Amino acid sequence: YADVISAAAEQAGLPAEARLAHGAVPGFSDVEALLATQPDTLPEGRSAGAAMHYTSGTTGKPKGVSRPLSGADPDVMAELFTGFFNLFGIPHREDQVHLCTSPNYHTAVTTFAGNSLHAGHRVVFMDKWDPEQTLAKIEEHRVTHTHMVPTQFHRMLQLPEEVRNKYDVSSMTWAIHAAAPCPVDVKQKMLDWWGPVIWEYYGATEGGGTTATPADWLKYPGTVGSPWPISELKITDDDRNPVEAGVPGTVWMKMGTDFEYKGDKAKTDENHDAEGFFTVGDVGYLNEDGFLFLCDRKSDMIIAGGVNIYPAEIEGEILAHPGVGDVAVFGIPDDDMGEQIKAVVEPAAGYEAGDELAASIMEHLSGRLARFKWPRSIDFSEELPREPTGKLLKRQLRDPFWEGRTTAI
């Protein structure tokens, strides 16, 4: 690509000494020659920097999450960051291998892959995620830990049984997942397949959070865990008053570090309260033992006839149908009820989109969901819009139905 890059660099006015290559490449300077002129001692007064990650933007424009710098030594900070693995019991040993399944710009990916390197672990990267190749990489490299999203679990589970059984995944000890609610059916099947190695946490680019060990989840199916030692949680109503255990409300978190959205003080203030808690707009509840259960994003909640309906619950039940490869559930305008429920389904391999599959899905929901939670209509799509990290871009499906109106009534 040297010719292409040189042309672009010329157009941008980038001088040759600012273009580096290994070896003699016309139009570039030799990086080895540059390094030979540099000191081999550490500069004085070093202090640790920090990556400013951006939110995923699944509900709007991505926002930069800026944190104050610590001023500490970079090596000390690298060592401290590996303490994150203590939440999952992952040891700092050279025999540990991390499988990176998503692009490196994502906060969780940077955290897990980067901290794995700091902890002395080997890291295996996938150029593009594929369910069978994931199993092959685990067997080939004897992977001990990875980070995934529920969609990846679901797609691995859809592989034919003979394909799944072909690979040895017994080295996997910590299959950690987050980023979206995991349907109970999907997680139970992963536990049945891989054993008690499926760990979950709840957090965001802004911070976190909770952890659910396999034992926690088996005791409280559906939970995303209890608070980290460095975190606090609370659930409030729309007036920001605390609610009782079992009552859904806005999830608020608090950590030892704070943040601000770059260039958006109003958004920063809106998502913080006077006690230093922040929210990313998720709805959930705490049980009597302090374990958190997520309902959905507040912005995704459907209000039909005055009743709050959470699409994640419906999506989880639809995904349990063998003919469903992926699904998105959202509200569309309804002049009578305010909103009505629509599902968009990506058929699984071997299933054909159409009335027959739609009828089968509706029949499948009988006894699983109250009828008022059933979709009023089902559309089909060859592929649902998802980020490379696996997060569903639901707004791309929903927004066209709401064009020109902000409310259904």
Side-chain angles (χ1 to χ4, degrees):
Y1 302 104
D3 291 344
V4 175
I5 295 172
S6 288
E10 292 287 351
Q11 187 176 351
L14 195 67
E17 58 268 23
R19 311 175 215 162
L20 302 172
H22 288 279
V25 180
F28 291 80
S29 297
D30 187 345
V31 69
E32 298 299 333
L34 173 68
L35 292 175
T37 67
Q38 303 302 308
D40 57 5
T41 56
L42 294 175
E44 295 182 5
R46 295 190 311 151
S47 64
M52 184 176 71
H53 291 110
Y54 277 72
T55 62
S56 61
T58 50
T59 58
K61 185 178 179 180
K63 299 177 289 294
V65 177
S66 176
R67 303 184 190 282
L69 297 178
S70 65
D73 180 271
D75 293 329
V76 171
M77 288 305 296
E79 192 72 26
L80 288 173
F81 274 125
T82 62
F84 179 69
F85 282 166
N86 295 337
L87 296 172
F88 309 96
I90 300 174
H92 295 196
R93 297 198 313 258
E94 291 184 2
D95 62 348
Q96 300 299 299
V97 183
H98 178 76
L99 178 64
C100 184
T101 64
S102 300
N104 289 302
Y105 62 78
H106 191 266
T107 310
V109 178
T110 306
T111 300
F112 280 88
N115 285 345
S116 292
L117 292 174
H118 287 317
H121 303 170
R122 188 152 52 98
V123 179
V124 178
F125 290 93
M126 299 184 71
D127 291 329
K128 183 180 180 181
W129 189 81
D130 174 85
E132 184 173 356
Q133 276 302 303
T134 299
L135 303 180
K137 294 290 185 188
I138 292 171
E139 179 181 73
E140 177 186 356
H141 298 282
R142 307 306 298 155
V143 171
T144 55
H145 54 96
T146 188
H147 183 281
M148 294 190 184
V149 297
T151 301
Q152 292 171 314
F153 285 166
H154 180 64
R155 294 189 177 175
M156 288 192 296
L157 287 165
Q158 286 191 308
L159 292 170
E161 190 172 353
E162 60 271 20
V163 174
R164 283 189 275 138
N165 292 339
K166 191 167 68 173
Y167 299 97
D168 177 8
V169 296
S170 60
S171 62
M172 182 63 68
T173 313
W174 297 273
I176 301 165
H177 70 98
C182 186
V184 170
D185 182 70
V186 169
K187 185 152 181 178
Q188 185 61 63
K189 286 178 179 176
M190 285 300 300
L191 286 162
D192 293 341
W193 178 15
W194 286 12
V197 302
I198 313 299
W199 290 65
E200 185 167 3
Y201 72 95
Y202 168 64
T205 301
E206 292 86 342
T210 66
T211 305
T213 69
D216 290 337
W217 193 90
L218 288 167
K219 184 176 181 180
Y220 304 110
T223 186
V224 295
S226 57
W228 297 343
I230 60 171
S231 300
E232 297 178 58
L233 283 183
K234 67 177 180 180
I235 312 295
T236 70
D237 59 23
D238 290 343
D239 296 321
R240 300 193 176 185
N241 298 313
V243 298
E244 296 180 356
V247 177
T250 301
V251 180
W252 295 81
M253 295 178 280
K254 185 178 182 180
M255 290 179 60
T257 59
D258 204 3
F259 70 91
E260 62 179 25
Y261 293 120
K262 180 176 171 58
D264 197 339
K265 186 179 185 306
K267 186 68 174 177
T268 303
D269 292 343
E270 178 188 340
N271 285 23
H272 283 76
D273 71 4
E275 297 176 314
F277 284 82
F278 69 89
T279 182
V280 294
D282 288 329
V283 176
Y285 63 91
L286 293 168
N287 70 5
E288 295 288 351
D289 293 326
F291 283 83
L292 178 65
F293 292 75
L294 292 181
C295 299
D296 217 325
R297 272 283 167 104
K298 198 167 188 177
S299 58
D300 287 339
M301 186 174 69
I302 301 167
I303 304 177
V307 177
N308 294 346
I309 299 170
Y310 300 105
E313 178 189 11
I314 305 168
E315 290 165 349
E317 296 299 345
I318 292 176
L319 274 175
H321 188 288
V324 176
D326 203 355
V327 63
V329 172
F330 50 91
I332 63 173
D334 185 296
D335 290 333
D336 180 37
M337 300 292 286
E339 291 183 86
Q340 64 170 261
I341 305 168
K342 176 175 281 293
V344 179
V345 168
E346 177 185 318
Y351 286 81
E352 187 175 336
D355 293 343
E356 186 175 339
L357 179 55
S360 178
I361 292 169
M362 297 300 283
E363 183 180 352
H364 161 81
L365 294 179
S366 181
R368 289 174 170 264
L369 281 177
R371 280 190 174 271
F372 74 88
K373 298 178 182 179
W374 290 19
R376 291 278 298 276
S377 57
I378 296 179
D379 294 347
F380 292 95
S381 172
E382 289 186 7
E383 184 177 10
L384 295 188
R386 285 190 178 272
E387 290 186 332
T389 57
K391 282 197 172 184
L392 180 64
L393 297 171
K394 193 175 289 188
R395 68 178 188 274
Q396 291 188 11
L397 300 169
R398 179 178 52 210
D399 287 357
F401 291 95
W402 290 93
E403 252 180 65
R405 59 198 295 174
T406 56
T407 179
I409 298 178

